[in-house]
Amino acid sequence: MVKYVAEPFKIKMVEPLKMTTREEREEKLKAANYNVFGLDSDDVYIDCLTDSGTGAMSDTQWAGMMAGDESYAGARGYRKLMKAVKDIFGYEFGQPVHQGRAAEQVLLPSYLKKGQKCVSNMHFDTTRGHVGLLGAKAIDIVVPEAKDTSTYLPFKGNMDTKRLEAYINEVGADQIGVIIMTITNNSAGGQPVSMENLRTTKAIADKHGIPMIIDAARYAENAHFIREREEGYQDKEIIDIVREMFSYAEAFTMSAKKDAIVNMGGLIGVKDSEELYIKVKGLTIPYEGFVTYGGLAGRDLEALSIGLYEGLDKDYLKYRVGQIEYLGGRLKELGVPFQYPVGGHAVFLDAKALLPHIPYYQFPGQALACELYLEAGIRACDIGSYLLDLDPETGEQLESEMEFTRLAIPRRVYTQAHFDVIAEALKNIKERASEIKGYEITWQAPVLRHFTAKLKPIE
C-alpha cells in the first residue's frame, strides 16, 4: 500500500466545494461544447486542469501582499525580486512579467526569425504557439524512452543529445535560432531533466554557436528530482542545484505561477548580457508595462519574491512530489496506465493505452478528460493530439507522440481524500473503457485551439 506524505503545514482557511450529480454534469459539459476550459469552476469538484496559478499562498506571502508598494516605478517589491533572482539563479538581470507566455512573447523575438527552427526537449503549448507566431518551427527531440510510459527511467525529460547533434548537422546551425530546455518536461509527463543532460546539451549548443535558454516553470521540482536521483547530488542543497542548472543557460523564461506558488506572475532572467537585457526591456514596456512592475501589482511582486524561496524548501518539495507519487501509486495498484514514474506536478494518464480503440484524430486524451468530469466532477486536460494545432503547411491534424490526460495538482490545496476520489473514479472508468467514444472538433482557432475549440462526441 502506497504511503501518503503528510503536509508540512496546517490549514487555517477553507473554500467550500460544490457537489453535482452526473445529470447536472452532462448538461454542463454539453453547454461547454465538451471543452473543459469552458466549464465554470463552481461546477468542478476537484480541479486538476492546471497547477498554474492555482496553488495556495502561505501566510508569509499574504502578509507580504499587504505590505506591497504600489508605486508605478521603482517599487520595493521590484528591488526585493531582483535580489532574489541574483541570489537563487546567479543571473545579473531580471525582468518581471505577468506570466510565462508574456515572458516568451518578450524574450523569443531576440532569438528567432521567420523560417528558423527552435529545438527543445519538448515545447509546451504556449512556447510552441509563440514560436509559430514568429514564423519559426518548433522541433521536439526528447529521449525515446519518454514514449514508453510503463518503464522506469529517472530522467525521461532529457534531450536526446545524439539526435540533437545529428539534427544540427542535417539542417545547419545557422537554421536553429535557439535551444530551449524545458524543466521539468511538461509535455513528456512532467518528467525531469538530469544535470548531466543539461551540461551535455549546453556543450553541443556551444560547439555549434547556438544559444541555449531554459523554460523554468518547474525548476524547483526538477532540482528535487536531481537531488533524489542523480549521483553526486544527494548531499547538495536545492538552491545550489538550481544555481548549477541555470549556469548552463544564458537566459530563462518562467511562469512563476507554478514553483513560485503565486496566483499571477512571470519572470525573465538574463545571465550577463546587457545587450540582451536592453532588448528585453525594450519589449517589456509596450507589451507589459514599465520595467519595474512588468504587468504586476506591487503586492504580486512581494508574493513572488517570497514564493521563489518557499518553493525551494526541501520538506515542502518532498511533500509536493510525494502527493503525486501517492496518486500514481494508487493508480498502479488499480492497473490504470500512466507515464511512469510520475512527474513532479501531475500524473499523466496514458489515454492511448486506456482507450486504444479511439484513434489520435478523435482525441483519446480529451475523451478521457470529459469522462473524468462526467464520472466525478474532476477536471483534467488533454496533452496529446488535441493540444497540437493543425500542421501550418498542410492543414492536416498532427499526431502527438503521446496521448495523455493530465491531472495537474495545485500546490498546497488538496488532501489525501481528494486523491482517493480521483483513483476511485479512474477505477470505474477503466472498467467501462471500451464504451467511451472519441470526439470531433466543430470549430477551432488557428493558434492554441484547445483553449476555445468546440467539440462533439463521435456518434
Side-chain angles (χ1 to χ4, degrees), residues 364-386:
Q366 178 67 7
L368 182 54
C370 289
E371 202 64 28
L372 261 170
Y373 178 72
L374 294 173
E375 175 69 25
I378 299 161
R379 179 158 62 170
C381 77
D382 170 283
I383 305 290
S385 296
Y386 173 60

Side-chain angles (χ1 to χ4, degrees), residues 10 54 74 108 129 155 209 227 247 264 307 324 327 341 359 364 391 421:
K10 60 183 180 180
T54 56
L108 289 183
F155 294 102
R227 190 173 190 266
S247 72
M264 184 57 67
I324 318 301
L327 179 55
D391 188 302
V421 169

Side-chain angles (χ1 to χ4, degrees), residues 22 336 349 354-355 367-376 378 422-436:
R22 184 181 177 94
V336 176
L349 303 169
L354 188 63
L355 307 173
L368 182 54
C370 289
E371 202 64 28
L372 261 170
Y373 178 72
L374 294 173
E375 175 69 25
I378 299 161
I422 295 172
E424 185 67 23
L426 284 164
K427 173 179 176 289
N428 295 339
I429 290 172
K430 178 176 178 286
E431 291 172 354
R432 53 181 170 79
S434 62
E435 303 170 10
I436 297 172

Side-chain angles (χ1 to χ4, degrees), residues 104 124 127 180-184 213-218 253-254:
E104 293 164 351
F124 197 55
T127 323
I180 302 177
M181 291 297 282
T182 308
I183 57 173
T184 56
I213 65 175
I214 287 175
D215 176 346
R218 298 174 182 88
T253 60
M254 178 191 293

Side-chain angles (χ1 to χ4, degrees), residues 328-344:
R330 286 293 320 276
L331 297 182
K332 198 167 184 64
E333 291 171 350
L334 295 170
V336 176
F338 61 92
Q339 175 67 291
Y340 177 75
V342 294

Side-chain angles (χ1 to χ4, degrees), residues 14 26 61 163 251 254 265 302 315 365 381 414:
V14 297
E26 287 173 352
Q61 286 178 294
R163 275 205 297 151
M254 178 191 293
E302 287 283 347
D315 292 331
C381 77
Y414 292 121

Side-chain angles (χ1 to χ4, degrees), residues 11 20 28 38 45 48 74 88 90 94 101 194 196 320-321 324 344 369 376 394 403 410 430 433 436:
I11 299 166
T20 56
K28 301 294 183 183
Y45 175 48
C48 298
I88 295 171
R101 67 195 65 186
S194 72
E196 180 184 13
R320 166 65 180 162
V321 175
I324 318 301
T394 67
E403 300 288 351
K430 178 176 178 286
I436 297 172

Side-chain angles (χ1 to χ4, degrees), residues 225-384:
F225 282 120
I226 288 174
R227 190 173 190 266
E228 291 289 311
R229 298 178 182 177
E230 192 161 359
E231 187 177 352
Y233 289 91
Q234 282 67 40
D235 297 325
K236 289 187 178 292
E237 295 296 326
I238 292 291
I239 195 168
D240 293 324
I241 295 172
V242 168
R243 288 166 182 159
E244 183 180 348
M245 284 162 46
F246 283 83
S247 72
Y248 300 120
E250 65 177 47
F252 70 79
T253 60
M254 178 191 293
S255 168
K257 296 161 67 177
K258 283 84 168 175
D259 275 358
I261 328 175
V262 291
N263 303 127
M264 184 57 67
L267 267 177
I268 298 168
V270 177
K271 184 188 285 182
D272 53 20
S273 172
E274 188 170 4
E275 179 183 358
L276 177 58
Y277 179 54
I278 289 171
K279 291 180 181 178
V280 166
K281 288 195 296 183
L283 288 181
T284 296
I285 293 171
Y287 288 155
E288 292 289 287
F290 189 60
V291 293
T292 60
Y293 76 89
L296 294 173
R299 54 186 174 270
D300 294 323
L301 296 172
E302 287 283 347
L304 174 51
S305 62
I306 295 166
L308 284 169
Y309 286 101
E310 289 189 354
L312 296 176
D313 181 79
K314 64 179 185 296
D315 292 331
Y316 157 75
L317 285 168
K318 181 181 179 181
Y319 145 79
R320 166 65 180 162
V321 175
Q323 278 197 319
I324 318 301
E325 290 173 340
Y326 174 80
L327 179 55
R330 286 293 320 276
L331 297 182
K332 198 167 184 64
E333 291 171 350
L334 295 170
V336 176
F338 61 92
Q339 175 67 291
Y340 177 75
V342 294
H345 73 288
V347 173
F348 284 67
L349 303 169
D350 189 345
K352 183 186 290 187
L354 188 63
L355 307 173
H357 59 287
I358 299 180
Y360 74 91
Y361 50 85
Q362 292 180 3
F363 315 124
Q366 178 67 7
L368 182 54
C370 289
E371 202 64 28
L372 261 170
Y373 178 72
L374 294 173
E375 175 69 25
I378 299 161
R379 179 158 62 170
C381 77
D382 170 283
I383 305 290

